Amino acid sequence: MVELSHDSRPIIGRGPPLTAYFLALAAISVGLMVADQRYHQIDRIRESLSRVIYPVQRAVDFPFRATDWVTGSFADRSRLRQENLALTARLRLANLQLQRFAVLEEENRRLREMRANTAGIAEKVLVASILNVDLDPFRHRVLLDKGAADGVFKDQAVLDGDGIFGQVSKVNASTAEVILISDAEHAIPVQSNRSGVRTIAVGTGDQHKLSLPFVTVESDLQAGDLLLSTGMGGVFPPGYPVAQVSKVKRAGSMFALVEARPTARLDQAREVLLVWFKPRAEPAAAAATAQPAPSSTPVDGPATAAPPAQAGGE
Amino acid sequence: MRPMSMLTRRLLYWISMAAGLVLAIVPLPGWLDPFRPDLALLAMIYFVLTSPRIAGLGYAWLSGLFLDVLRGMVLGQHALGFLVVGYLTHKLQLRMRMFPLVQQAVIVMLLLGLYHFLMFWIDGLTGHGFTGWVRWLPVLSGALLWPLVVALGDSLTRRSS
């Protein structure tokens, strides 16, 4: 008697024995189940499989969608009217809430712009180490280990991790001298992050203090305001933190006494960044920061004049 | 009768698998839902019986895997069920093809029962256990539908040859 094989696949190219095939696939199934249940490792497999499955789901979905469409097309008038009334009421409510959101959205957009400026303005950055701090306590200068050979140029902006550090005042072949923003001969145009007031921060000779001499009594500046670089004068990239207002005293009749603390760690930094950037078009910057008139009039003059002044002071 | 070309047959299998999957997730009225037969499984059994050279274990396994994704079950659950049923059908096919239709339907009912027991078991392991007797209704409806599946399959394969 002939024993018939139950494996009726082609004899040539049949592949592994049926039982082995079965066991392999069963093992894979069990492995998949364990992986899925215990470790959640196969979301990617599921994801790609569901991409194959998607047309099936759409095909199943289609008739019901079509039925909905047909019944919707032939809906009677009174029901439509009722629906319309309900929707109008809801829309009115939603619009009311939306009005509040518009203000928030605008604010958010401004903040994002500012942040984008801070994040990606520098086109090229070179890390430099500070060689030695100037011994003269009244002149805040440091020497960097990068010079003309590295492409450093005069008036180049220097930053550290926390804000504006200073600017290159002298370039040598392989070193460069930097004047810190706290140097008494240095001034930098700044803008309040909160109110948009623009003014100039002048070094005082104290590494922890900047002075803002051109702030009128009416200016909207408070202690705690973050001062950002405006980019005016084309020396510093706009939007980088410079200092934080530490004291505002409105004693006099014309100018307030304002002090700020530099955000950059002027006395501790061992490494700084030399920055290459494209100066932003100034009208755009001015338009974006339209602010109360009284403060802007006395400030604008010195602000544009400041960078040449400090360069000349060298 | 000229036999269908291999390619046409393959195409037919995949199409019927897709149809079975569609019918597996198509919404049914509430009272009919528990009776939903596993048409993809029945189609798989039919093709393994009639042309085991083409519809192999890989075909069965893949059908089940797709069903897993469609239903959002633990990946591999239906795949394993389909695989087991496909393997047993392969083992039994020489005998089953000789059986009259009613006897075939009984075997199919046993296979479906095994399949649903497996699903029940895995459901319990993965924590989705539903113990009502209603979950065994598809075994019955599937067995009752078997003659229809055979008739439909036979007419499809003959017409297109």
Side-chain angles (χ1 to χ4, degrees):
Chain A
M1 178 150 178
V2 179
E3 179 80 17
L4 283 173
S5 166
H6 52 254
D7 190 352
S8 44
R9 290 176 297 169
I11 288 169
I12 296 166
R14 160 187 285 194
L18 198 68
T19 309
Y21 196 30
F22 165 73
L23 288 176
L25 282 177
I28 291 174
S29 309
V30 173
L32 274 178
M33 277 188 277
V34 172
D36 200 10
Q37 182 71 11
R38 289 284 160 85
Y39 305 108
H40 306 283
Q41 287 293 306
I42 48 174
D43 290 348
R44 196 170 297 173
I45 300 177
R46 189 184 282 277
E47 211 259 340
S48 48
L49 274 176
S50 44
R51 209 167 291 162
V52 180
I53 280 296
Y54 179 68
V56 178
Q57 285 161 332
R58 281 312 296 264
V60 171
D61 173 64
F62 173 74
F64 295 90
R65 194 172 292 270
T67 329
D68 275 357
W69 184 81
V70 170
T71 49
S73 308
F74 296 102
D76 57 299
R77 188 169 167 275
S78 71
R79 215 192 64 193
L80 282 181
R81 254 187 72 80
Q82 265 180 12
E83 245 180 53
N84 197 342
L85 282 176
L87 288 176
T88 313
R90 268 174 58 189
L91 184 66
R92 204 177 298 128
L93 202 68
N95 267 339
L96 207 67
Q97 290 168 341
L98 204 61
Q99 283 171 14
R100 247 185 36 233
F101 281 123
V103 179
L104 291 176
E105 196 189 4
E106 176 62 19
E107 185 181 321
N108 195 2
R109 193 186 56 75
R110 271 210 326 268
L111 290 174
R112 273 169 187 280
E113 254 173 23
M114 235 172 255
R115 224 185 131 239
N117 280 349
T118 339
I121 198 82
E123 289 179 352
K124 188 186 156 196
V125 162
L126 184 68
V127 178
S129 296
I130 295 172
L131 287 183
N132 63 319
V133 178
D134 199 324
L135 292 176
D136 186 349
F138 302 107
R139 279 161 55 90
H140 296 169
R141 313 285 162 106
V142 294
L143 203 63
L144 304 182
D145 65 347
K146 297 283 190 294
D150 302 292
V152 179
F153 56 90
K154 193 165 156 39
D155 293 337
Q156 186 171 15
V158 180
L159 281 72
D160 78 355
D162 299 312
I164 304 263
F165 192 82
Q167 70 185 90
V168 174
S169 54
K170 205 180 282 173
V171 183
N172 307 318
S174 57
T175 60
E177 192 189 84
V178 172
I179 175 172
L180 306 191
I181 56 172
S182 60
D183 191 293
E185 292 175 22
H186 191 270
I188 174 173
V190 293
Q191 179 176 31
S192 163
N193 191 18
R194 181 183 58 84
S195 60
V197 170
R198 277 178 292 153
T199 182
I200 296 183
V202 179
T204 58
D206 181 343
Q207 280 187 328
H208 303 295
K209 206 199 289 179
L210 296 182
S211 154
L212 280 67
F214 307 115
V215 177
T216 56
V217 177
E218 298 97 332
S219 290
D220 186 9
L221 268 184
Q222 294 170 6
D225 283 2
L226 186 65
L227 301 173
L228 304 176
S229 56
T230 62
M232 282 183 170
V235 174
F236 293 103
Y240 283 85
V242 176
Q244 193 158 28
V245 177
S246 54
K247 191 167 90 181
V248 180
K249 202 170 160 192
R250 296 186 162 87
S253 56
M254 186 65 188
F255 293 108
L257 181 69
V258 182
E259 282 174 8
R261 187 189 171 85
T263 55
R265 296 183 299 168
L266 299 178
D267 52 348
Q268 290 165 22
R270 299 316 305 162
E271 287 189 328
V272 292
L273 303 168
L274 288 157
V275 176
W276 281 260
F277 74 102
K278 261 200 193 93
R280 194 166 58 174
E282 293 203 0
T289 57
Q291 281 298 318
S295 66
S296 64
T297 30
V299 160
D300 265 351
T304 41
Q310 63 195 277
E314 190 45 44
Chain B
M1 187 178 86
R2 216 180 58 224
M4 281 173 84
S5 81
M6 209 80 147
L7 189 71
T8 337
R9 252 175 207 273
R10 263 178 211 285
L11 204 64
L12 182 66
Y13 296 165
W14 287 105
I15 288 171
S16 33
M17 179 174 109
L21 292 175
V22 164
L23 289 172
I25 60 163
V26 88
L28 288 180
W31 60 272
L32 202 59
D33 208 24
F35 289 93
R36 180 199 302 271
D38 308 288
L39 281 175
L41 188 63
L42 291 176
M44 192 270 288
I45 295 174
Y46 174 80
F47 287 129
V48 169
L49 278 185
T50 52
S51 43
R53 295 181 180 215
I54 298 169
L57 293 184
Y59 168 78
W61 189 75
L62 262 184
S63 315
L65 198 65
F66 281 130
L67 194 58
D68 280 329
V69 179
L70 268 183
R71 289 229 175 121
M73 306 298 267
V74 178
L75 216 51
Q77 176 174 2
H78 287 100
L80 185 64
F82 272 59
L83 181 69
V84 168
V85 172
Y87 177 69
L88 289 177
T89 314
H90 259 284
K91 287 276 194 192
L92 296 172
Q93 45 120 345
L94 287 180
R95 254 165 287 177
M96 272 180 81
R97 276 152 83 169
M98 296 296 125
F99 287 163
L101 206 55
V102 178
Q103 209 171 338
Q104 250 182 27
V106 171
I107 303 272
V108 166
M109 189 161 87
L110 289 178
L111 287 173
L112 285 175
L114 179 66
Y115 170 81
H116 278 278
F117 174 73
L118 255 178
M119 295 301 103
F120 181 47
W121 189 47
I122 294 170
D123 274 351
L125 282 180
T126 55
H128 313 107
F130 168 64
T131 49
W133 59 273
V134 175
R135 70 173 295 145
W136 303 98
L137 280 176
V139 178
L140 194 67
S141 63
L144 290 176
L145 266 181
W146 176 250
L148 211 68
V149 170
V150 172
L152 184 68
D154 283 356
S155 71
L156 269 180
T157 31
R158 295 237 174 83
R159 187 182 300 156
S160 40
S161 63

